[in-house]
Amino acid sequence: MDFKELHRITREDADILTTFVRETAERAHVRAAVVGISGGIDSAVVVKLCADALGPENVLAVFMPVSRTPQEDYRQTREMCEAWGVRYEVVNIQSVTDVFSGMLIQEGDDPLQLGNIMARCRMIVLYDKAKRDGRLVYGTSNLSELLMGYMTKFGDGAEDVTPLYDLYKTQVWELARIIGVPDEIITKTPTAGLWDGQTDEDEMGVTYLALDKALNVMEQGGSDSEMAGAAGITVEKAAEIRAQVSRMAHKRNPATRPDVCVGRN
């Protein structure tokens, strides 16, 4: 079976997404956006799309570090926002993370528990800013992360608008070059910053390029062996990816509800 290769992002695609950002704000009768900026590629792309679509004066980028956040991330996020004319705020969430961690984290818990707490604390900050200023929260999850469930439900997976919903991670890198994201952000190793030395690809056990190729074939109805052949991975890894996508469906979909209208008969 012949499969379509991953679409190469063009200037036209960038213009379509810019229009999408602007029109979603207009439909919601707001003129401003708030984005959580992290120093990673996805948030940088969304901030720049919002600035291009709504005007930089109408975009608030909120950087929400913890104690171990690298100083490089402070510099990079600040310099991007200054260059683009976007309003920039820093809200350190370490103290509130400590409170929730003290309440909830137990010895032997998966480190992801702490990551979920941090992500949900950041969500609270963004929605507080949105409510105060009449903004929409523009999310930063891409299709690779959404399919794999590589985000926190009601954390970084909570947003009013998801501009990167149809873009695999490798396509986000292509879009970044087109819209003018700095090279040092584009070439930066993707990490959720959950612990020292943590990277997305190490945690998932596959590169984004291979993952995206496998997901692309899977979404076109390909088998595990066809996914493996396209991505250069083992059939076992392809099956693992497919199973993960299935398990994580609840993160992408609205809350499950009854199929029958109980109480309306």
Side-chain angles (χ1 to χ4, degrees), residues 27-252:
R27 287 197 296 269
H29 303 286
V30 301
R31 298 176 56 189
V34 58
V35 184
I37 191 168
S38 66
I41 186 72
D42 302 302
S43 63
V45 166
V46 173
V47 169
K48 186 59 162 60
L49 284 174
C50 288
D52 291 346
L54 305 174
E57 70 279 5
N58 293 315
V59 181
L60 170 62
V62 186
F63 180 57
M64 295 167 281
V66 292
S67 58
R68 66 168 172 271
T69 299
Q71 287 300 309
E72 178 185 64
D73 292 352
Y74 284 82
R75 176 188 63 81
Q76 290 174 334
T77 54
R78 183 185 68 254
E79 288 180 356
M80 276 190 293
C81 290
E82 288 177 352
W84 296 336
V86 167
R87 181 179 163 192
Y88 176 72
E89 289 188 12
V90 178
V91 178
N92 191 302
I93 63 165
Q94 185 64 59
S95 60
V96 68
T97 298
D98 288 341
V99 172
F100 278 109
S101 298
M103 293 168 54
L104 301 173
I105 298 294
Q106 301 177 19
E107 186 176 352
D109 275 350
D110 189 315
L112 291 177
Q113 292 287 102
L114 177 58
N116 287 336
I117 288 172
M118 290 191 293
R120 290 178 178 129
C121 288
R122 290 177 174 126
M123 178 273 293
I124 292 171
V125 173
L126 292 177
Y127 272 94
D128 182 75
K129 298 287 185 184
K131 175 64 176 176
R132 289 175 183 275
D133 301 338
R135 300 175 185 270
L136 287 180
V137 176
Y138 281 78
T140 62
S141 295
N142 60 64
L143 182 57
S144 305
E145 294 169 343
L146 289 165
L147 288 172
M148 295 295 286
Y150 196 69
M151 76 291 192
T152 298
K153 194 171 185 177
F154 306 121
D156 53 329
E159 62 265 310
D160 297 316
V161 186
T162 314
L164 307 182
Y165 184 88
D166 290 323
L167 296 184
Y168 293 111
K169 184 77 169 188
T170 48
Q171 293 174 317
V172 175
W173 279 316
E174 293 174 357
L175 175 61
R177 294 189 184 281
I178 291 171
I179 65 176
V181 172
D183 283 344
E184 67 173 333
I185 301 297
I186 296 172
T187 59
K188 196 173 182 179
T189 300
T191 174
L194 300 179
W195 54 82
D196 291 340
Q198 184 264 343
T199 72
D200 295 0
E201 294 179 331
D202 284 346
E203 193 174 349
M204 290 188 293
V206 64
T207 67
Y208 271 116
L209 179 58
L211 175 65
D212 290 354
K213 288 180 177 179
L215 291 172
N216 179 53
V217 169
M218 186 196 72
E219 290 208 289
Q220 295 179 65
S223 66
D224 293 348
S225 61
E226 289 168 325
M227 290 168 61
I233 57 177
T234 65
V235 174
E236 290 75 18
K237 186 61 181 180
E240 179 185 317
I241 290 170
R242 185 188 300 277
Q244 178 77 355
V245 171
S246 178
R247 284 195 303 271
M248 294 296 106
H250 70 94
K251 287 190 174 184
R252 302 185 295 274

